[in-house]
């Protein structure tokens, strides 16, 4: 966006819906509104003009405020925008920045003393301009609960799906991702970009292996098993995971197993031991331990929150 950067308002009413496709069961919807400091025709850097009808007063009732990327990223933010963001945050709204929108949050003081990220091309100037916060230039997004930042546009979609997943469960977020033809969900700690500068050749893609693995989560899958299936050495496979997915095979596999467990908790009344077996986590004890470590809750509490049965 250029010049008069609009704030993007999302008012949340208990559940979400993608912009296309039919919902599987009745739910309330997210309400979306776009607002700007000065409503009216707003030029954008994409070559078109937006008609923005709402002003900053819309932030007074927002549950989540999304600030998009802007150009130039380090342009001063007006005092009215700063105060509107601070007021929404004080009131309890969740403040989310996409890409270089993180610099807006920083100018508002909402990231002081915190870890944050932005697009890797702006990370150095971000860190230099705001030494009071820790800029992580490698990750896809950072979520503190009340404030969240993401890298580029694609990582912004990852962050939004993460927020939907946190609010309404893994199955619902997975449905949105499928309708949008997006890859399986990426954790915020994954790398922003591949280490290998050359494009991946078709015969180097991990997609066939990933599909094979996700259909066999109930089996024992070691790095050696995956490497044998891919016809690679373990070291080469680990390198390709880092290059293409920004994570290790073991961490990626654990994420898939936890996601599968979350969906079973949401959509079935299976006992914990059965769920753990189905997703390859061996036992209910291990399932509970992994849940608490990686999701900060227990399987039982998760089921009570998101159960569809």
């Amino acid at each position: 966006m250029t010049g008069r950067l609009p704030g993007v308002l999302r008012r949340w009413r208990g559940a979400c819906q993608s912009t296309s496709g039919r919902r599987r069961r009745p739910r309330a919807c997210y309400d979306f509104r776009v607002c700007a400091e000065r409503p009216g025709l707003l030029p954008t850097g994409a070559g078109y003009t937006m008609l923005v009808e709402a002003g900053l007063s819309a932030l007074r009732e927002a549950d989540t405020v999304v600030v998009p990327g802007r150009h130039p990223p380090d342009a001063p933010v007006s005092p009215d925008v700063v105060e509107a963001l601070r007021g929404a945050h004080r009131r309890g709204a969740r403040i989310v920045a996409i890409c270089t929108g993180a610099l807006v949050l920083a100018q508002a003081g909402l990231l002081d003393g915190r870890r944050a990220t932005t697009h890797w091309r702006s990370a150095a100037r971000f860190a230099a301009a705001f030494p009071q916060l820790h800029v992580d230039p490698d990750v896809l997004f950072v979520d503190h609960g009340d404030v969240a930042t993401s890298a580029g546009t694609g990582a912004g979609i990852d962050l939004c799906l993460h927020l939907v997943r946190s609010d309404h469960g893994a199955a619902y977020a997975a449905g949105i991702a499928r309708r949008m033809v997006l890859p399986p969900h990426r954790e915020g700690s994954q790398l922003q970009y591949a280490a290998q500068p050359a494009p991946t050749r078709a015969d180097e893609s991990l997609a066939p292996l990933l599909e094979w693995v996700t259909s066999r989560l109930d089996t024992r899958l070691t790095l050696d098993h995956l490497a044998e299936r891919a016809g690679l050495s373990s070291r080469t496979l680990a390198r390709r995971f880092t290059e293409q997915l920004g994570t290790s095979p073991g961490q990626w596999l654990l994420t898939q197993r936890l996601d599968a467990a979350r969906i079973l908790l949401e959509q079935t009344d299976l006992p914990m031991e059965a769920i753990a077996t189905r997703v390859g986590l061996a036992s209910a004890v291990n399932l509970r331990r992994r849940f608490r470590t990686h999701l900060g809750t227990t399987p039982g509490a998760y089921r009570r929150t998101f159960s569809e049965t």
Side-chain angles (χ1 to χ4, degrees), residues 26-155:
R27 285 192 179 189
C29 299
Y30 287 113
D31 285 343
F32 297 89
R33 297 180 66 191
V34 179
C35 67
E37 181 181 8
R38 294 186 294 277
L41 292 175
L42 185 74
T44 73
Y48 59 85
T49 299
M50 294 177 59
L51 175 60
V52 181
E53 298 179 341
L56 294 177
S57 60
L59 271 66
R60 297 173 189 162
E61 60 179 17
D63 295 314
T64 295
V65 178
V66 182
V67 180
R70 64 201 302 257
H71 181 76
D74 49 2
V77 180
S78 80
D80 289 343
V81 171
V82 166
E83 185 50 42
L85 289 172
R86 289 174 177 171
H89 183 258
R90 284 194 300 267
R91 188 177 49 76
R94 177 166 55 187
I95 313 296
V96 177
I98 306 298
C99 195
T100 52
L103 280 77
V104 177
L105 271 57
Q107 290 191 48
L110 300 181
L111 299 175
D112 288 357
R114 292 184 165 190
R115 179 169 162 263
T117 194
T118 191
H119 194 287
W120 60 268
R121 293 181 63 179
S122 298
R125 71 171 77 179
F126 190 23
F130 301 99
Q132 69 274 28
L133 55 93
H134 172 63
V135 177
D136 190 335
D138 295 325
V139 299
L140 295 178
F141 59 82
V142 177
D143 179 18
H144 293 287
D146 61 325
V147 175
T149 54
S150 79
T153 303

Side-chain angles (χ1 to χ4, degrees), residues 3 11 14 25 31 38 68 74 80 89 105 120 129 135 165 184 196 224 240 266 269 282 284 298:
R11 187 176 182 182
R25 62 192 179 96
D31 285 343
R38 294 186 294 277
D74 49 2
D80 289 343
H89 183 258
L105 271 57
W120 60 268
V135 177
R165 189 177 298 108
Q196 180 177 325
D224 288 339
R240 289 195 184 172
E266 294 167 23
D269 57 2
T298 65

Side-chain angles (χ1 to χ4, degrees), residues 205-274:
S205 172
L206 290 173
L209 176 64
L210 303 185
E211 184 177 355
W212 180 82
V213 169
T214 53
S215 67
R216 293 165 174 78
L217 292 178
D218 59 336
T219 64
R220 184 170 180 267
L221 296 167
T222 66
L223 178 58
D224 288 339
H225 291 145
L226 271 61
E228 181 180 359
R229 174 70 185 185
L232 302 169
S233 69
S234 298
R235 179 176 296 180
T236 299
L237 181 64
R239 187 181 70 248
R240 289 195 184 172
F241 262 82
T242 300
E243 292 169 350
Q244 296 183 33
L245 301 177
T247 189
S248 69
Q251 187 58 51
W252 179 86
L253 180 58
L254 177 58
T255 297
Q256 307 315 303
R257 284 180 161 150
L258 287 173
D259 274 357
R262 291 164 79 167
I263 291 173
L264 289 173
L265 288 166
E266 294 167 23
Q267 298 183 340
T268 75
D269 57 2
L270 288 170
M272 298 301 170
E273 199 71 38

Side-chain angles (χ1 to χ4, degrees), residues 146-167:
D146 61 325
V147 175
T149 54
S150 79
T153 303
I157 295 174
D158 290 316
L159 173 56
C160 289
L161 284 173
H162 160 77
L163 297 177
V164 171
R165 189 177 298 108
S166 299
D167 289 344

